[in-house]
């Protein structure tokens, strides 16, 4: 199989009227008529065109190469001509191409990516990560939580970094009262605390039994993360903004967290490398965004903990992620098991 080119689509889609996202979708074309799919999010509106152009130029440089040789492609696109790693839009484009190559590899051999990567399990816990911040009236929040539980979710995530301390503590107590003792509650502090205020929050919410506290302090403060982790009984999760393997190495060596959160920016190839590195430190791994792609390496490895469902990419695809009794049911379809919704791509093009 050889790479022949690509198509990109810039779209803004909305999930159930509560969460919208702007994405650049990549379709990586081959001489065998099959295509690999990926999307990147978190690109500012002014940079959407640039993102697509960088992707297209990078794919052009890969013409004629076999996309199923994922390590060969990974080395070419994540390394610059000077041997240093790429960064910025180039790195984000490289991550999408890597995801699309894995999709093609699965399609080429008729196997799902999670199975090719190790196939540890085909059902794994999933959390609902949308519309759970403080602010809306409590009855609205209660109705949303009850709806999530009725849809089979047994874990929810609340972003609380921008709430006051009192509002954040009150929020998790309210969520616990609504969902009862059997639903996991995850709290994201979004890098907004000092070590002292993070530890205060951790102490005040011990009785709520949180599943984890995420990003308590600044993302570059490895010592601060380690200090928080060492001084609370609660579980700490960090890593979502890291784009390079060495940052995870520093995080793990510092014992900065209990769970490692990995973004799609590392590509699926890089995700897998970090997941194996974390296993050596006894740390479970979870995804940051892009659940359609990142659920695959989490399902593949024994230290994959739970998939976080941020659903803003779901409208791009004709099939939705299947949740049953708190678990994500992985598709057995080849590749990532995704089919682009052609009408949606046209209707929501920007
Ligand atoms: Mg987060």
């Amino acid at each position: 199989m050889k790479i022949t080119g690509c198509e990109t689509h810039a779209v803004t889609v909305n999930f159930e009227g509560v969460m919208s996202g702007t994405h650049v979708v990549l379709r990586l074309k081959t001489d065998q008529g099959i295509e690999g799919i990926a999307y990147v999010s978190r690109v500012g509106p002014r940079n959407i065109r640039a993102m697509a152009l960088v992707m297209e130029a990078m794919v052009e440089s890969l013409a004629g190469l076999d996309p199923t040789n994922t390590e060969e492609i990974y080395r070419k696109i994540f390394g610059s001509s000077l041997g240093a790693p790429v960064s910025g839009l180039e790195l984000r484009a490289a991550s999408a191409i890597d995801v699309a190559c894995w999709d093609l590899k699965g399609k080429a051999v008729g196997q799902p990516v999670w199975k090719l990567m190790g196939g540890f399990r085909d059902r794994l816990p999933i959390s609902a990560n949308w519309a759970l911040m403080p602010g809306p009236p409590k009855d609205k929040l209660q109705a949303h939580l009850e709806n999530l539980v009725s849809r089979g979710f047994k874990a929810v995530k609340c972003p609380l970094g921008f709430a006051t301390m009192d509002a954040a503590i009150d929020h998790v107590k309210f969520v616990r009262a609504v969902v009862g003792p059997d639903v996991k509650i995850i709290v994201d502090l979004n890098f907004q605390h000092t070590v002292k205020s993070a530890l205060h929050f951790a102490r005040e919410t011990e009785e709520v039994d949180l599943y984890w506290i995420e990003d308590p302090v600044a993302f570059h403060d490895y010592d601060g993360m380690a200090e928080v982790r060492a001084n609370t009984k609660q579980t700490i999760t960090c890593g979502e903004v890291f784009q390079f393997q060495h940052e995870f190495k520093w995080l793990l060596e510092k014992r900065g967290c209990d769970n490692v959160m990995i973004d799609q920016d590392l590509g699926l190839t890089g995700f897998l490398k970090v997941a194996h590195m974390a296993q050596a430190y006894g740390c479970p791994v979870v995804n940051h965004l892009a659940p359609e792609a990142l659920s695959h390496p989490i399902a593949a490895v024994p230290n994959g903990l739970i998939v976080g469902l941020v659903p803003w990419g779901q409208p791009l695809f004709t099939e939705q992620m299947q949740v049953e009794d708190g678990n994500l049911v992985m598709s057995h379809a080849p590749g990532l098991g995704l089919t682009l919704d052609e009408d949606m791509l046209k209707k929501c093009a920007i």
Side-chain angles (χ1 to χ4, degrees), residues 275-333:
H276 292 319
M277 177 162 60
Q279 189 182 6
Y281 285 84
C283 289
V285 295
V286 299
N287 66 302
H288 180 236
L289 308 177
E292 298 86 357
L294 301 183
S295 55
H296 286 263
I298 298 178
V301 300
N303 56 325
L305 184 65
I306 186 171
V307 173
L309 175 54
V310 172
W312 62 1
Q314 287 280 278
L316 299 171
F317 306 106
T318 55
E319 55 286 274
Q320 302 297 286
M321 298 182 84
Q322 294 302 308
V323 180
E324 267 178 36
D325 197 26
N327 285 309
L328 168 66
V329 181
M330 295 299 291
S331 165
H332 283 253

Side-chain angles (χ1 to χ4, degrees), residues 26 31 64 73 75 78 111 114 124 126 142 150 162 180 184-185 188 220 224 228 240-241 248 279 284 301 320 344 346:
L26 171 69
D31 62 343
I73 303 276
R75 170 64 72 87
F78 278 88
Q111 295 289 334
W114 61 266
L124 65 167
I126 185 166
Q142 177 164 351
S150 75
F162 298 95
K184 295 178 171 73
I185 301 172
D188 193 346
H220 48 80
V228 171
E240 70 173 54
V241 295
F248 290 96
Q279 189 182 6
V301 300
Q320 302 297 286
M344 192 66 81
K346 282 196 197 92

Side-chain angles (χ1 to χ4, degrees), residues 157 159 187-191 212 214-215 237 240 261 288:
K157 176 158 138 181
V187 163
D188 193 346
L189 292 182
N190 310 101
F191 315 105
W212 75 62
E214 181 172 321
D215 293 327
T237 299
E240 70 173 54
M261 179 170 282
H288 180 236

Side-chain angles (χ1 to χ4, degrees), residues 216-254:
V217 297
F219 66 89
H220 48 80
D221 184 6
Y222 297 90
D223 290 316
M225 292 177 225
E227 201 179 335
V228 171
R229 179 180 169 270
N231 289 289
T232 175
K233 290 183 209 163
Q234 302 228 47
T235 300
I236 303 297
T237 299
C238 300
E240 70 173 54
V241 295
F242 295 154
Q243 298 179 310
F244 302 102
Q245 289 166 44
H246 65 266
E247 293 166 311
F248 290 96
K249 178 172 172 276
W250 292 341
L251 176 67
L252 288 161
E253 282 176 348
K254 287 276 186 187

